[in-house]
Amino acid sequence: MKTETERLNILILVFGLLLGAYARFLPASMVGFPVTDGGLFHEMVKAIQAEGYRLPAFVNYNGISIPFAYPPLGFYTTALVSDIFNIPLIEVFRWLPAVGSVLFSIAFYPMAAAILKSPLKGSLATVFFALLPRSISWYIMGGGITRVLGHLFLMLILFSAYKLFTMPSRKYLVLTILFGVGVVLSHLEASLHAVFLCAVLWAFFGRSKEGIKNALFVAVGVIALTIPFFLIVISRHGLQPYLSAAQTGFQNPLAWVAILTGSFADEKFVTLLSALALLGFVVVLARREFLLAVWLFLPAIIDPRSAASVSIIPWAMLAAIGFVDIVIPGLYALKNNVQEAGDIESNWSTYFIKSSAIKFALTALIFYAFFGTVLSDQVYPKVSLTPSDRAAMEWVAKNVPPQSQFLILTGETEAFADAVAEWFPVLSGSYSIATIQGYEWMPDKVFLTKLDEYYALQTCMDKTSACVDEWSLKENHPFEYVLVSRDGISANENSLLTSLRAAAGYRLVHEEKDVYIFEKRP
């Protein structure tokens, strides 16, 4: 029979996870389409289905043949869900990332409770993690079909590796190998983080003969079970796709600054959870417990591009430490004797029941974080395809010759977040000249060239048609149509739209709310 403290922990955990689940499903509900990205991945899943679930050699997207070198587990999972349950693929891309995000929020608890050696801190850390915007944003997008699976297995392998090094057994050895295979076949960046973080766990807990032996078994097991996929890819394409993909990490020597300040957590309002995490950081340093501190900063060294999505894991655990070890005793001491109450962990229900200040603080903190996360969700309809975008692309598919060359102008300042540019080739049947997705797998550093071209084109958004023409001549990219899309854009106020309407070389052929398509005259 569970104690009152255990029941309270479960109540807090379940309540927080439900709030986190709501925040994860809300964006897909509001957008009515896959959130933000996923166009290229959509075509990769279709290629698997078209090949009868054999591994394709290439995927055709936006007029280019891209080597199929991406770890395929997320694509096969998506294809199977669509085929087995007879769900339209686009709907799977809309909802599956949110489902996966909820699952790895749940998987966070056993890992946190084990590492923190505390069910209470594990519960609170899980709730805080579930309600931090950074634990949501990268995963609920259409492209999250691979990220959620990779990070689900990342959570699981960190839990099993910790158990393997602290409580060695065949069970945890097998689980660590299986979870390692899962992360490697799901997401390359998550795999990289998994390797280094498991090495950190070994350095802290596994430096023994048995620990060395188990670590070697895990490494050999994961390599043996994943090498067939990589041998197939390398036999077809060599190492070039992986060498090219490595150029998208955008190494930043100052990436650790965002970690130190807590700004990477993307909290709205006053950053209360980040403040608690900083308190927890001070606590672990004072105790000379350096695991979470190393874990916090290491991802920024390994891969700055995805560092925030991994550093948020110890950040949530540090917030739980700050709340349990600093805030709870302080609030309880306002009207009660801390020594009489005893250990917080075993007497948590006593602290909670006797102190109205603790009840208020925890309840307010959870709802404060929840409302901040829901507020963060409001941005997704603005950075995803709107009904007008989709209607315009449908019009192109029906009224424009297939494979026509388009320039897409959105004014987006982050190339990877340009939903219009990524989904246009999928929904329209035509090509977007400046779309960057897919080129990260191509040779000769063509990705960096396309990235420069993309940003140069987007600067034309607030200029005139002459900027577009000059860009086309400079980059040697002839085109047939221009599509302009921006939330709230006005043809009477935007200089580019005004110029395109007036220019003799262009003709407005279609218009939706906030979307304009111009044909370039011969």
Side-chain angles (χ1 to χ4, degrees):
M1 185 175 179
K2 295 188 181 298
T3 65
E4 195 169 357
T5 291
E6 290 172 331
R7 289 196 296 270
L8 182 58
N9 284 344
I10 293 172
L11 176 64
I12 293 170
L13 177 63
V14 172
F15 183 65
L17 286 172
L18 288 174
L19 292 179
Y22 177 87
R24 282 158 171 75
F25 283 106
L26 180 60
S29 176
M30 291 190 296
V31 171
F33 192 77
V35 177
T36 311
D37 64 5
L40 171 58
F41 286 180
H42 182 274
E43 296 305 283
M44 297 180 86
V45 174
K46 285 181 63 178
I48 287 173
Q49 293 173 321
E51 290 287 333
Y53 284 84
R54 293 181 298 273
L55 185 69
F58 294 91
V59 58
N60 294 314
Y61 169 77
N62 198 31
I64 57 175
S65 291
I66 304 164
F68 203 116
Y70 201 104
L73 189 55
F75 304 133
Y76 278 97
T77 302
T78 303
L80 284 169
V81 170
S82 177
D83 287 341
I84 292 174
F85 297 102
N86 197 28
I87 303 172
L89 189 57
I90 206 74
E91 288 299 306
V92 180
F93 268 81
R94 181 183 175 191
W95 295 109
L96 187 59
V99 172
S101 181
V102 171
L103 290 177
F104 78 64
S105 297
I106 296 171
F108 186 96
Y109 171 74
M111 178 201 63
I115 290 175
L116 296 174
K117 300 181 179 66
S118 163
L120 170 59
K121 291 176 183 174
S123 295
L124 291 175
T126 304
V127 172
F128 296 160
F129 176 80
L131 296 177
L132 280 165
R134 174 55 67 175
S135 75
I136 299 174
S137 58
W138 208 42
Y139 304 103
I140 60 168
M141 301 176 183
I145 60 164
T146 61
R147 298 169 201 144
V148 292
L149 207 56
H151 283 256
L152 171 61
F153 283 117
L154 176 62
M155 298 282 190
L156 293 173
I157 193 176
L158 293 175
F159 166 71
S160 62
Y162 172 82
K163 287 290 190 178
L164 178 64
F165 296 136
T166 57
M167 301 171 57
S169 70
R170 181 172 297 181
K171 168 187 171 182
Y172 290 118
L173 175 61
V174 172
L175 287 176
T176 304
I177 292 172
L178 292 178
F179 295 150
V181 171
V183 71
V184 170
L185 292 181
S186 298
H187 199 266
L188 288 176
E189 292 173 349
S191 304
L192 190 62
H193 289 295
V195 169
F196 281 93
L197 290 174
C198 285
V200 168
L201 290 175
W202 174 84
F204 275 88
F205 306 110
R207 288 180 298 164
S208 63
K209 278 188 177 182
E210 189 170 23
I212 294 172
K213 180 186 70 175
N214 285 333
L216 289 174
F217 277 143
V218 170
V220 171
V222 172
I223 291 172
L225 293 174
T226 58
I227 198 67
F229 165 72
F230 292 103
L231 287 178
I232 292 172
V233 173
I234 292 170
S235 69
R236 291 170 172 175
H237 310 294
L239 291 172
Q240 171 269 313
Y242 297 113
L243 297 176
S244 297
Q247 69 194 355
T248 67
F250 303 119
Q251 301 302 315
N252 180 0
L254 297 179
W256 59 272
V257 175
I259 304 296
L260 184 61
T261 61
S263 60
F264 76 101
D266 293 341
E267 286 184 85
K268 297 293 183 183
F269 312 130
V270 178
T271 56
L272 294 182
L273 294 181
S274 292
L276 287 173
L278 289 173
L279 282 177
F281 186 73
V282 172
V283 170
V284 296
L285 290 184
R287 292 172 176 167
R288 303 182 67 80
E289 298 170 353
F290 299 120
L291 172 62
L292 294 182
V294 172
W295 188 344
L296 183 64
F297 289 100
L298 185 61
I301 299 171
I302 298 170
D303 182 34
R305 180 174 173 235
S306 60
S309 297
V310 179
S311 293
I312 202 69
I313 299 171
W315 197 244
M317 289 192 275
L318 288 169
I321 292 172
F323 189 80
V324 173
D325 293 348
I326 302 295
V327 175
I328 289 178
L331 291 175
Y332 191 82
L334 292 175
K335 289 188 176 180
N336 303 276
N337 188 320
V338 176
Q339 276 69 38
E340 289 180 2
D343 174 63
I344 295 175
E345 184 66 37
S346 56
N347 296 280
W348 164 228
S349 60
T350 301
Y351 278 85
F352 189 81
I353 293 170
K354 286 190 174 181
S355 174
S356 57
I358 292 176
K359 288 196 286 284
F360 175 80
L362 181 57
T363 304
L365 180 62
I366 290 174
F367 277 104
Y368 189 87
F370 171 67
F371 289 128
T373 302
V374 170
L375 180 63
S376 296
D377 283 348
Q378 305 309 307
V379 73
Y380 294 113
K382 298 180 181 179
V383 297
S384 303
L385 285 193
T386 65
S388 295
D389 290 323
R390 303 197 294 273
M393 293 177 194
E394 182 180 354
W395 181 89
V396 171
K398 292 178 179 178
N399 297 279
V400 173
Q403 303 178 7
S404 295
Q405 301 291 325
F406 275 72
L407 294 184
I408 308 293
L409 287 106
T410 61
E412 177 60 58
T413 58
E414 172 49 63
F416 281 106
D418 194 331
V420 177
E422 183 174 355
W423 281 102
F424 179 83
V426 176
L427 300 182
S428 71
S430 289
Y431 299 150
S432 169
I433 294 172
T435 293
I436 65 165
Q437 278 78 8
Y439 285 98
E440 62 267 42
W441 301 98
M442 306 300 282
D444 303 324
K445 296 186 177 180
V446 67
F447 172 79
L448 299 178
T449 300
K450 295 299 294 186
L451 196 62
D452 290 340
E453 291 177 1
Y454 172 85
Y455 285 123
L457 178 62
Q458 299 311 314
T459 63
C460 296
M461 188 68 183
D462 297 307
K463 297 181 181 178
T464 66
S465 61
C467 177
V468 176
D469 295 331
E470 290 167 5
W471 181 91
S472 175
L473 289 172
K474 178 184 176 184
E475 306 297 348
N476 192 28
H477 287 315
F479 63 95
E480 299 163 277
Y481 295 87
V482 175
L483 185 150
V484 180
S485 173
R486 177 188 274 177
D487 183 45
I489 196 170
S490 170
N492 299 321
E493 298 176 3
N494 181 265
S495 59
L496 177 61
L497 287 179
T498 301
S499 176
L500 288 169
R501 283 179 179 274
Y506 294 90
R507 178 173 69 94
L508 180 66
V509 293
H510 187 72
E511 179 180 343
E512 299 278 348
K513 182 179 181 293
D514 300 332
V515 185
Y516 301 82
I517 299 175
F518 295 86
E519 182 181 14
K520 185 173 175 60
R521 299 181 191 274

